[in-house]
Amino acid sequence: MKTSGLGRFTLGQPLPARTHAVCVSLPKFEDVIGYEEKDPITLQSMPTGYPRFVRHQMINQMIEHLDESAGQDTQGYLFYREQDCREVIDRYQIDGVQLSSGEQWTLLQLPSDSSQNRLLAAHFQHTGCGISSRLAEDYLWDRGLIESRETLSEIPNAEDIIRKTISQAHGPEVRSEDLLLASSGANAFHALFQSATKQANARKKPIWIRWGWLYLDTIEVMNLYGSKKGEVIEITQVGDTDKLVEIFQTYGDQIAGVVTEFPTNPLLQAGDLEKVRSLCDKYSSLLIIDPTMVSPKNAKITHLADVVVNSLTKYAGWEGDVMMGSLAFPRSSVLGRELFSSVRELICPPYPRDMVRMAEQIPYYDNFIERANTHALRVVEFLQHHKKVKKVHWAYQEGFRKNYEKFAGSERPGCNLSFELSCSFEKFYNRLQMLKSPSFGTEFSNCCPYVYLAHYSLIQSLEGRKILSNAGLSEHLLRLSVGLEPVEEIIETLGDALK
């Protein structure tokens, strides 16, 4: 392995030590709060961060260079596609904008004091419609504005390499040409759901079901499009199949589709997908499944889905410095295949240098997953038997093991697990000598204060905490991505923090 996540990391330190690192360190609990509260001192120490959450410094430099109205105090947003920019202006009725365009970018500028900046920033995060930091790097390099640029291999067939590996991970239902690649997993889902709601509206199916507590951006995109001309019904407990049956019996042919994860993020709960598939077949409803938490190589669920969403930032980009996503359209699905062409028109394709960087890493995809499976099993065993660990959530947990094992077999949990403590969350977090950051599926171990980073606003109110509680989410939940460091050292690091 090249990079370890064990040890002490300073606030804002990127991992790996590369220009386009996806992970950035939040070593102390006060840093997490400072980040969420937008404390200037905290943010000044973070020149980079998870790309959809924190704007890369090179993108900031590009915006500054493009800003022809310097001194007018504007806030800039670089879209990959002009179509996305126009849609945002129309959707939020944004006025007072300045637009300029170039090859593969459109700059939208708003006065810094505009109340619509918050809407735009949230839209950027949830939809992944911004440009790649490597595009910004090329822009600056071509104009002599930076002294060096990332060195990459010469891989002329990078996209083919990625497609072949990921299609094989999905199994025989998907060929290379049945995949669409996107600039991120979030953008892949955004393009898919935007297209799926148009299809559903044409078929007079206004109701979507969100099954399980899903990832933040999936929730927000469904609310953005699914509730515009219809309704999104949420079942927070993925194990509640009876509730799902009841909703189908009540609404029947009005149901456009079900969106779920297998297993869910961050509780790693696996629902009864065969039951969902039978309900969707009965009422001609779409079934969208996201197996990113464990990878489609571990969870063989493609034959049950109409479309499979997968973030390649995780597992495929195991060195932790490239964003990408994919959509797989199984050839057996008529409903899914109907969406292929329209989604392709809406998606933000990966930037060419991102594909080259991914192609450098993806040959080790299978090996990384196998090793991560083995390490995670050992770490789960340790945590389950530790007196200061109250609960461990993982793919084979009680109540969901049977559903997961049916499609993954045994001893294939992926790299992720989440756990709750019976001791002080804050003390443990501060003592833990491990990278603490969002993202997962990297060669280096990483611990994430999940609810604080994904749902901080809910923690701030009694009503919000009740929502989290009903979903089975403790605000002190920790999500651990187990890396490739010697597993004894990972366990020792966790044990030292628990003392």
Side-chain angles (χ1 to χ4, degrees):
M1 67 178 300
K2 300 178 181 179
T3 305
S4 172
L6 306 182
R8 294 186 181 276
F9 299 89
T10 59
L11 172 61
Q13 181 176 344
L15 209 69
R18 294 177 65 103
T19 305
H20 304 281
V22 167
C23 294
V24 61
S25 170
L26 292 165
K28 298 292 184 182
F29 183 68
E30 64 189 44
D31 300 326
V32 176
I33 302 303
Y35 169 74
E36 290 296 334
E37 296 283 354
K38 309 304 180 191
D39 175 63
I41 296 176
T42 303
L43 297 182
Q44 284 170 12
S45 300
M46 298 178 66
T48 187
Y50 195 76
R52 288 185 299 98
F53 291 73
V54 179
R55 183 186 289 162
H56 195 277
Q57 55 189 339
M58 286 191 174
I59 296 177
N60 281 330
Q61 285 178 254
M62 181 174 170
I63 291 173
E64 290 171 6
H65 185 258
L66 288 168
D67 187 358
E68 296 178 353
S69 56
Q72 293 188 20
D73 197 17
T74 59
Q75 184 72 266
Y77 302 88
L78 275 168
F79 290 80
Y80 191 92
R81 303 185 324 140
E82 184 175 348
Q83 181 180 337
D84 288 327
C85 181
R86 299 286 181 187
E87 186 207 330
V88 165
I89 293 172
D90 180 61
R91 173 174 290 277
Y92 299 115
Q93 295 296 294
I94 299 175
D95 49 23
V97 301
Q98 301 174 54
L99 292 181
S100 55
S101 297
E103 187 177 356
Q104 296 182 305
W105 58 265
T106 296
L107 175 65
L108 182 155
Q109 290 173 287
L110 270 179
S112 293
D113 59 359
S114 171
S115 60
Q116 292 167 316
N117 276 303
R118 184 181 293 271
L119 282 173
L120 264 176
H123 186 93
F124 249 61
Q125 175 193 322
H126 302 320
T127 65
C129 58
I131 68 166
S132 162
S133 57
R134 285 187 173 89
L135 188 158
E137 182 181 40
D138 283 351
Y139 176 93
L140 298 170
W141 172 255
D142 291 343
R143 288 156 182 78
L145 299 173
I146 52 176
E147 295 181 356
S148 62
R149 183 179 68 164
E150 177 187 42
T151 302
L152 297 175
S153 306
E154 291 288 337
I155 307 179
N157 59 336
E159 183 174 354
D160 293 339
I161 292 170
I162 297 165
R163 286 178 174 279
K164 181 179 179 181
T165 302
I166 299 305
S167 62
Q168 288 177 346
H170 280 281
E173 301 84 7
V174 174
R175 299 182 304 187
S176 293
E177 57 266 34
D178 301 323
L179 286 177
L180 289 177
L181 298 182
S183 58
S184 67
N187 184 258
F189 180 74
H190 170 245
L192 170 64
F193 196 71
Q194 190 178 4
S195 179
T197 52
K198 290 179 182 177
Q199 180 197 64
N201 291 338
R203 298 170 66 210
K204 294 183 169 51
K205 286 176 165 285
I207 295 173
W208 287 91
I209 299 173
R210 187 162 58 235
W211 195 40
W213 185 271
L214 309 184
Y215 182 58
L216 167 67
D217 295 319
T218 302
I219 292 173
E220 294 296 339
V221 168
M222 289 190 73
N223 291 342
L224 180 67
Y225 292 102
S227 58
K228 188 176 181 181
K229 292 184 179 179
E231 180 183 1
V232 177
I233 299 175
E234 182 174 58
I235 306 173
T236 57
Q237 299 295 336
V238 76
D240 194 350
T241 309
D242 291 342
K243 180 67 174 175
L244 187 68
V245 171
E246 179 186 325
I247 290 171
F248 266 96
Q249 289 175 341
T250 302
Y251 296 101
D253 292 332
Q254 297 180 67
I255 296 174
V258 177
V259 178
T260 192
E261 295 167 350
F262 187 89
T264 58
N265 184 7
L267 294 178
L268 293 129
Q269 297 174 345
D272 184 350
L273 288 184
E274 289 179 325
K275 183 66 176 178
V276 186
R277 180 70 267 171
S278 67
L279 290 167
C280 287
D281 285 341
K282 183 177 181 179
Y283 295 100
S284 190
S285 303
L286 196 72
L287 177 54
I288 299 171
I289 307 175
D290 184 342
T292 296
M293 285 294 282
V294 296
S295 82
K297 180 173 175 58
N298 276 334
K300 298 296 187 183
I301 48 76
T302 303
H303 64 290
L304 295 170
D306 292 300
V307 189
V308 181
V309 185
N310 184 27
S311 173
L312 304 184
T313 307
K314 290 81 175 175
Y315 293 103
W318 55 273
E319 288 188 290
D321 69 335
V322 62
M323 296 282 286
M324 201 171 295
S326 70
L327 297 171
F329 295 80
R331 303 190 71 79
S332 59
S333 169
V334 175
L335 283 178
R337 299 296 301 183
E338 286 177 356
L339 293 170
F340 188 90
S341 296
S342 59
V343 174
R344 183 169 52 193
E345 297 302 313
L346 294 171
I347 215 161
C348 291
Y351 187 63
R353 283 175 62 83
D354 284 327
M355 283 200 279
V356 172
R357 180 64 185 124
M358 180 65 80
E360 289 182 337
Q361 302 176 50
I362 208 165
Y364 304 96
Y365 175 77
D366 291 352
N367 179 263
F368 168 68
I369 291 173
E370 294 296 337
R371 294 174 66 190
N373 286 336
T374 302
H375 283 200
L377 288 168
R378 291 276 306 278
V379 174
V380 166
E381 182 181 15
F382 166 74
L383 291 173
Q384 284 181 327
H385 290 91
H386 200 289
K387 63 182 181 180
K388 292 185 180 178
V389 176
K390 183 164 59 177
K391 191 170 185 178
V392 178
H393 306 268
W394 69 306
Y396 294 98
Q397 64 194 293
E398 186 179 348
F400 300 96
R401 172 187 288 269
K402 183 179 177 181
N403 291 336
Y404 183 73
E405 212 162 34
K406 188 178 293 184
F407 303 112
S410 61
E411 300 186 345
R412 303 187 67 81
C415 67
N416 281 307
L417 60 98
S418 297
F419 61 102
E420 302 169 37
L421 302 169
S422 57
C423 56
S424 168
F425 170 85
E426 185 174 341
K427 286 183 179 179
F428 171 83
Y429 187 90
N430 289 342
R431 283 176 55 88
L432 181 63
Q433 293 189 38
M434 179 185 291
L435 178 71
K436 285 159 272 186
S437 174
S439 200
F440 60 86
T442 55
E443 63 171 339
F444 46 88
S445 293
N446 171 22
C447 191
C448 172
Y450 183 83
V451 177
Y452 276 90
L453 292 183
H455 303 293
Y456 186 71
S457 61
L458 293 179
I459 297 175
Q460 303 308 300
S461 68
L462 184 62
E463 182 181 356
R465 291 195 294 274
K466 185 177 179 181
I467 290 171
L468 291 170
S469 177
N470 289 339
L473 279 171
S474 164
E475 63 188 79
H476 292 151
L477 186 77
L478 289 155
R479 188 185 68 193
L480 177 66
S481 175
V482 180
L484 300 187
E485 302 92 350
V487 69
E488 294 81 8
E489 293 181 17
I490 299 173
I491 290 171
E492 183 181 2
T493 299
L494 291 164
D496 287 344
L498 286 166
K499 284 180 182 177

